[in-house]
Amino acid sequence: MKLRKVTAASAAVLALALTATACGSDDKDDSGSGSGGGGKIKIGIKYDQPGLGLKKPDGSFSGFDVDVATYVAKELGYEPNQIEFVETKSADRENALARGDVKFIVATYSINDERKKKVDFAGPYLLAHQDLLVKADSKIAAGEDLNGKNLCSVTGSTSAQNVRDKIAPKANLKQLGGYSECIAALQSGSVDAVTTDDSILAGFAAQDKYKGQFKLVGEQLSNENYGIGVKKGDKETIDKINTALEKMVSDKSWDKAVSENFGPANYKNEPAPKIGVIVR
């Protein structure tokens, strides 16, 4: 009788272990493995930048950064349904990579020397420039025309001050909480121009509700080399991503993504940058 009790207890323990194993097998997450095989990959993007990284009301995602991330993930062995897009705000990008929250980040992440101390970059995959967005019928044709006019950028950004320092010292600066607020102010006429990266401006202008209302002036006040952020020292992943980016350019998927996401704003994009070449 004693033997049967021990055997029954052992069987119960074994059954519990098997149940736990079965439950755990459905939760596989390969966000740090760099390969598919039925797992998932976590990729950092922005949630609030139309044309680049936007989470839509139905929970789906759209934008150039999303298209690039999806293409790269496929080349790494992941189908779209294996991707988990994680919101990574600008201030938390380095920490998200260091913690392993995401495998890589595609989020208008400009490559610079300070950031390279903390993370590594694949790419660049897009060369953007600081520009101005104005109404389609605006007489502002160059930065100098902003003297005496109202210029909007987001609080904490250096973009508006950059305009005053370089081309329009008498522009009136107006800082708001986000670019969507600046765009609304431009639409209402309370500001005459909005400034930030041309890719971000084009993304907003390409939205259905704004189509045909705005235009880019064409200033190039800075060079922003967008790279894909990877955890420091992960050379294997960087090499795989760079190979994927080269393929995306060669098979014209890159051109298609640019056209679909920025085309309605008449965005005059730079050619696809060469891997490892940073334009100063």
Side-chain angles (χ1 to χ4, degrees), residues 3-280:
L3 179 60
R4 288 182 61 191
K5 286 182 178 180
V6 172
T7 303
S10 300
V13 171
L14 178 60
L16 182 61
L18 289 172
T19 301
T21 302
C23 291
S25 65
D26 291 333
D27 240 358
K28 184 180 178 184
D29 183 351
D30 285 334
S31 61
S33 71
S35 60
K40 292 185 177 181
I41 185 170
K42 294 180 180 180
I43 303 174
I45 62 167
K46 294 288 184 68
Y47 275 18
D48 58 355
Q49 289 184 339
L52 286 155
L54 181 69
K55 184 176 184 180
K56 297 189 285 188
D58 64 1
S60 63
F61 299 91
S62 66
F64 181 72
D65 283 351
V66 173
D67 290 345
V68 170
T70 302
Y71 188 100
V72 168
K74 185 174 179 61
E75 292 302 304
L76 267 60
Y78 298 92
E79 295 301 322
N81 62 2
Q82 293 176 279
I83 299 172
E84 180 181 344
F85 286 118
V86 179
E87 183 177 24
T88 48
K89 296 183 178 181
S90 296
D92 195 45
R93 288 179 296 205
E94 287 83 13
N95 291 331
L97 287 170
R99 291 191 303 260
D101 295 346
V102 294
K103 184 64 176 174
F104 57 85
I105 294 176
V106 192
T108 59
Y109 204 177
S110 296
I111 301 170
N112 62 41
D113 292 338
E114 190 62 30
R115 289 172 178 161
K116 286 167 69 175
K117 295 176 182 177
K118 300 177 181 179
V119 303
D120 286 330
F121 287 96
Y125 65 92
L126 183 72
L127 175 59
H129 306 284
Q130 185 186 339
D131 199 357
L132 304 169
L133 189 72
V134 298
K135 282 189 172 182
D137 60 356
S138 173
K139 294 182 180 179
I140 296 173
E144 292 82 357
D145 298 331
L146 277 173
N147 283 309
K149 304 290 186 181
N150 296 320
L151 174 65
C152 188
S153 192
V154 301
T155 302
S157 169
T158 60
S159 298
Q161 189 59 49
N162 197 30
V163 170
R164 289 225 313 186
D165 290 344
K166 292 185 176 181
I167 53 176
K170 295 182 180 180
N172 304 313
L173 304 187
K174 184 171 185 178
Q175 294 185 314
L176 298 176
Y179 289 115
S180 58
E181 296 174 49
C182 279
I183 299 298
L186 179 61
Q187 186 182 39
S188 70
S190 61
V191 300
D192 301 290
V194 180
T195 187
T196 187
D197 296 358
D198 52 9
S199 58
I200 296 174
L201 296 173
F204 275 103
Q207 287 185 286
D208 287 339
K209 62 181 177 180
Y210 294 134
K211 281 182 181 177
Q213 295 187 42
F214 306 126
K215 65 181 179 182
L216 290 162
V217 172
E219 292 284 356
Q220 294 188 353
L221 300 176
S222 68
N223 295 319
E224 307 296 337
N225 299 270
Y226 290 172
I228 296 180
V230 178
K231 188 174 183 178
K232 193 73 176 174
D234 189 355
K235 187 177 185 303
E236 180 182 359
T237 298
I238 292 172
D239 291 343
K240 289 180 179 179
I241 292 175
N242 282 337
T243 298
L245 291 175
E246 288 172 344
K247 182 178 178 181
M248 187 177 187
V249 172
S250 66
D251 69 12
K252 305 300 181 183
S253 296
W254 188 91
D255 295 297
K256 180 181 178 183
V258 169
S259 177
E260 290 179 348
N261 290 293
F262 304 127
N266 295 318
Y267 175 52
K268 295 177 175 61
N269 63 281
E270 297 277 3
K274 294 184 182 299
I275 298 300
V277 176
I278 306 300
V279 178
R280 300 294 182 182

